[in-house]
Amino acid sequence: AAPTSKPKLVVSDAAVFDRVEALASATTLVRDLINTPANILTPAGLEAAARDLATVFGAKIKVTIGEELAKHFPAINVVGRAAEVPPRLIDLTWGDVGPRITLIGKGITFDSGGLDIKPSSGMEIMKKDMGGAAHVLGLARAVMATALPVRLRVLIPAAENAISALSMRPLDIIDTAAGIPVEVGNTDAEGRLVLADAIHLATQEDNDLLIDFATLTGAARVALGTGLPALFSNDAELGQ
């Protein structure tokens, strides 16, 4: 008997198709951003990706850089000031109705470890240290593409933790956006510094939901293995 041909998968519901397409495109965006080499996906490259999304979906975007960054977000500035491409804070907003949802993504486009330099084996894949930023951009794309009724805000502290004469040093005391001085115990703990400034900005507004995405830290993988993410939440139901 002749072999039976496999039935073709047909999605007749346009809404379902659009939703699947939006989620697939968002996933692809996250993957491609993380896979892009750090000499291409610099802090400026992350800004360009965010601006592309803003253009496609009619979102507003504000980027703080230079003297304004140093004044208002000093920790982000200190972490990224040693790099060739300067640090910046990317602030994208979209939507006028619904709950206020703020997504914050760690955007360390390459992490050498700073003066507490990583061994080569630990530095090899550090282009992925902007994975948090990639996730919030991908999630934002899905939210906007499916026109969810929310007021969306995306914050990305974008910086490269590089080494130069401008690098922060172990035991330096630096300022933060919250006005709380912080002693740098290890220059490879840069993620919490940039996130602190971004989270402080986010908390100046009332948020119905605030989520930050980071690549913290190697110790979490030691504790939980590769199958479980480290997660902290002040809402037990949301955390589950």
Side-chain angles (χ1 to χ4, degrees):
T4 303
S5 60
K6 293 183 178 179
K8 293 183 179 180
L9 178 63
V10 178
V11 179
S12 58
D13 189 324
V16 172
F17 179 84
D18 290 345
R19 178 179 175 82
V20 171
E21 183 180 49
L23 293 176
S25 296
T27 302
T28 300
L29 174 62
V30 175
R31 180 198 66 192
D32 289 349
L33 287 173
I34 292 175
N35 284 338
T36 302
N39 63 319
I40 297 173
L41 194 73
T42 62
L46 266 182
E47 178 186 337
R51 288 192 181 278
D52 286 346
L53 277 184
T55 299
V56 171
F57 295 103
K60 298 177 182 178
I61 189 167
K62 175 183 177 182
V63 177
T64 305
I65 192 172
E67 292 182 1
E68 286 299 303
L69 185 77
K71 178 180 178 181
H72 297 290
F73 306 103
I76 299 173
N77 181 68
V78 168
V79 167
R81 69 187 181 189
E84 179 182 6
V85 178
R88 62 208 66 202
L89 178 69
I90 302 163
D91 187 348
L92 181 148
T93 55
W94 175 89
D96 299 318
V97 297
R100 185 184 300 277
I101 297 177
T102 300
L103 307 174
I104 304 173
K106 176 184 173 185
I108 300 297
T109 57
F110 190 79
D111 184 15
S112 69
L115 292 180
D116 287 308
I117 191 168
K118 295 176 183 286
S120 58
S121 60
M123 201 190 307
E124 184 176 11
I125 58 171
M126 280 299 105
K127 67 178 184 179
K128 73 175 181 63
D129 215 16
M130 40 58 65
H135 274 76
V136 297
L137 288 176
L139 185 52
R141 193 191 195 290
V143 167
M144 294 187 291
T146 53
L148 293 184
V150 299
R151 290 173 292 164
L152 177 67
R153 188 180 195 185
V154 174
L155 295 173
I156 298 174
E160 178 182 349
N161 189 19
I163 299 174
S164 78
L166 295 176
S167 295
M168 59 180 173
R169 295 164 288 266
L171 300 187
D172 276 0
I173 295 178
I174 66 172
D175 292 326
T176 63
I180 302 172
V182 174
E183 184 179 59
V184 178
N186 187 301
T187 62
D188 196 20
E190 82 298 325
R192 65 205 68 186
L193 297 176
V194 299
L195 287 171
D197 274 5
I199 291 173
H200 175 73
L201 174 62
T203 57
Q204 302 311 295
E205 296 182 335
D206 291 330
N207 298 280
D208 295 289
L209 177 65
L210 190 156
I211 306 175
D212 75 280
F213 295 81
T215 45
L216 300 173
T217 174
R221 178 164 290 185
V222 172
L224 300 175
T226 58
L228 291 174
L231 181 149
F232 299 91
S233 176
N234 62 356
D235 186 314
E237 183 177 355
L238 176 64
Q240 292 174 358

